[in-house]
Amino acid sequence: MKHPLDFTGRTVFVMGGTSGINFGIADAFAANGARVAVASRSPAKVDAAVQKLAGHGVGAIGFSADVRDVDAVKAAMVGVQEAFGPIDVLVSGAAGNFPAPALRISPNGFKSVVDIDLLGTFHVLQAAYPYLTKPGASIINISAPQAFVPMELQVHVCAAKAGVDMVTRVLAMEWGAQGIRVNSVVPGPIAETEGMRRLAPTPAVQNAVTKSVPLGRLGTVTDVANTTMYLASPLAEYVTGAVIPVDGGWSLGGVSVIGDSMATMANN
Ligand code: NAP
Ligand code: COA
């Protein structure tokens, strides 16, 4: 019997899949046998990603597309269909972020993030729909804790990612009858990523973030890829509309009242 995490013969499309967490997801699917397509704005990043993915000996293809450009997104979907056939797994993870207080975010700055994260997600899912395997397709939106944890300097991202999770929930309802599952994965602080470089730019901030994670470490790209593969697999065939943190407990937002020495005492 085929292992549930063997994606041989499956087609996976990762929007925004040319760097960081999303590339890690594309790479994990390729390592487990899938044909993989990726897309993002930079042709150089697309080419580099496709070259690495093809190194797994699987079909790999890439498209240069901005999620804000509906026609470019549609063209990428047509391209995937022509190259690989129907899309079994769609990961939507293109996003933009910069830390800034609300009063220093221009209307266009706010709009840019909402356009990329929220409208972009809608464009990707709507454009993909005709090409999704029905029944059986799995859609995974890459969200962020900002969707449900209010965070200073992140009003634009909080608003946008909260919307992304609602897109997940509503389309899980609307498309359930077609056998399409829609879920969100919510990465926490993930080491060595652009998101962390922007939000935790110094070792001191990174240490503070690490200390605030109940499991006591930053996440890895592999942590996120593993949950994404689970959601795309038959192991999750009854899971839809879920918003799943992969964050070592960070988004629990609990208040720690015991220091290190007290923690040692409490655990002995
Ligand atoms: P990243 O490396 O900057 O990844 C973003 C990807 O999206 C890149 O491939 C980028 O490529 C693409 N992209 C950006 N704007 C785009 C646009 N307008 N159209 C199409 N593609 C676009 O950042 P990351 O930190 O790994 O983040 C990846 C995802 O995880 C994001 O959804 C982010 O919100 C989420 N997340 C990250 C963290 C973290 O700790 N890093 C935590 C929570 C959630 P191009 O530049 O070529 O377009
Ligand atoms: N503080 C305040 N405003 C900022 C800013 C910052 N640090 N960075 C950008 N902006 C504003 C710009 O000033 C501009 O507004 P304006 O026209 O009123 O001046 C607006 O945001 C758009 O900036 P621009 O650089 O033209 O947009 P873009 O479409 O080229 O890039 C971003 C989009 C800004 C989100 C860019 O950071 C990006 O491409 N990010 C992708 C990678 C990323 O963020 N990865 C981490 C994911 S978690």
Side-chain angles (χ1 to χ4, degrees), residues 16 18-19 21 40-42 45 65-67 93 143 161 187-188 190 193 195:
T18 61
S19 63
I21 292 172
S40 77
R41 294 167 302 178
S42 156
K45 283 176 72 173
D66 190 316
V67 286
S143 182
K161 292 287 194 180
I190 305 301
T193 59

Side-chain angles (χ1 to χ4, degrees), residues 51-115:
Q51 210 176 341
K52 282 191 214 153
L53 293 168
H56 291 288
V58 297
I61 191 169
F63 303 89
S64 173
D66 190 316
V67 286
R68 293 168 286 192
D69 178 345
V70 177
D71 290 338
V73 173
K74 283 183 180 164
M77 298 303 167
V78 172
V80 178
Q81 162 78 28
E82 285 173 357
F84 294 152
I87 299 168
D88 300 300
V89 181
L90 174 70
V91 179
S92 179
N97 193 353
F98 53 83
L103 294 180
R104 294 220 193 104
I105 300 177
S106 69
N108 190 44
F110 194 94
K111 181 176 183 301
S112 296
V113 169
V114 172
D115 278 354

Side-chain angles (χ1 to χ4, degrees), residues 5 10 35 75 85 94 96 98 105 119 160 184 189 197 199 208 213 253 267:
L5 296 177
R10 298 295 178 114
R35 294 180 287 258
F98 53 83
I105 300 177
L119 269 77
S184 283
R197 277 188 280 278
L199 295 185
V213 177
N267 291 325

Side-chain angles (χ1 to χ4, degrees), residues 14-217:
V14 185
M15 177 53 84
T18 61
S19 63
I21 292 172
N22 302 325
F23 175 77
I25 291 170
D27 197 55
F29 276 110
N32 285 283
R35 294 180 287 258
V36 181
V38 291
S40 77
R41 294 167 302 178
S42 156
K45 283 176 72 173
V46 171
D47 288 348
V50 168
Q51 210 176 341
K52 282 191 214 153
L53 293 168
H56 291 288
V58 297
I61 191 169
F63 303 89
S64 173
D66 190 316
V67 286
R68 293 168 286 192
D69 178 345
V70 177
D71 290 338
V73 173
K74 283 183 180 164
M77 298 303 167
V78 172
V80 178
Q81 162 78 28
E82 285 173 357
F84 294 152
I87 299 168
D88 300 300
V89 181
L90 174 70
V91 179
S92 179
N97 193 353
F98 53 83
L103 294 180
R104 294 220 193 104
I105 300 177
S106 69
N108 190 44
F110 194 94
K111 181 176 183 301
S112 296
V113 169
V114 172
D115 278 354
I116 299 168
D117 294 24
L118 178 54
L119 269 77
T121 299
F122 182 67
H123 295 158
V124 169
L125 270 56
Q126 196 180 52
Y129 183 85
Y131 310 108
L132 295 173
T133 303
K134 303 181 202 68
S138 171
I139 299 174
I140 296 111
N141 290 325
I142 306 302
S143 182
Q146 289 91 322
F148 49 92
V149 178
M151 206 181 288
E152 291 171 341
L153 313 184
Q154 290 283 275
V155 65
H156 45 344
V157 175
C158 289
K161 292 287 194 180
V164 168
D165 286 348
M166 269 301 169
V167 170
T168 293
R169 295 182 176 108
V170 174
L171 295 193
M173 295 186 71
E174 288 195 15
W175 296 354
Q178 283 70 48
I180 298 169
R181 298 182 295 106
V182 190
N183 294 288
S184 283
V185 164
V186 185
I190 305 301
E192 290 162 38
T193 59
E194 185 59 26
M196 272 298 279
R197 277 188 280 278
R198 290 181 183 221
L199 295 185
T202 65
V205 180
Q206 274 173 32
N207 287 340
V209 172
T210 306
K211 277 194 93 172
S212 69
V213 177
L215 287 184
R217 66 169 175 88

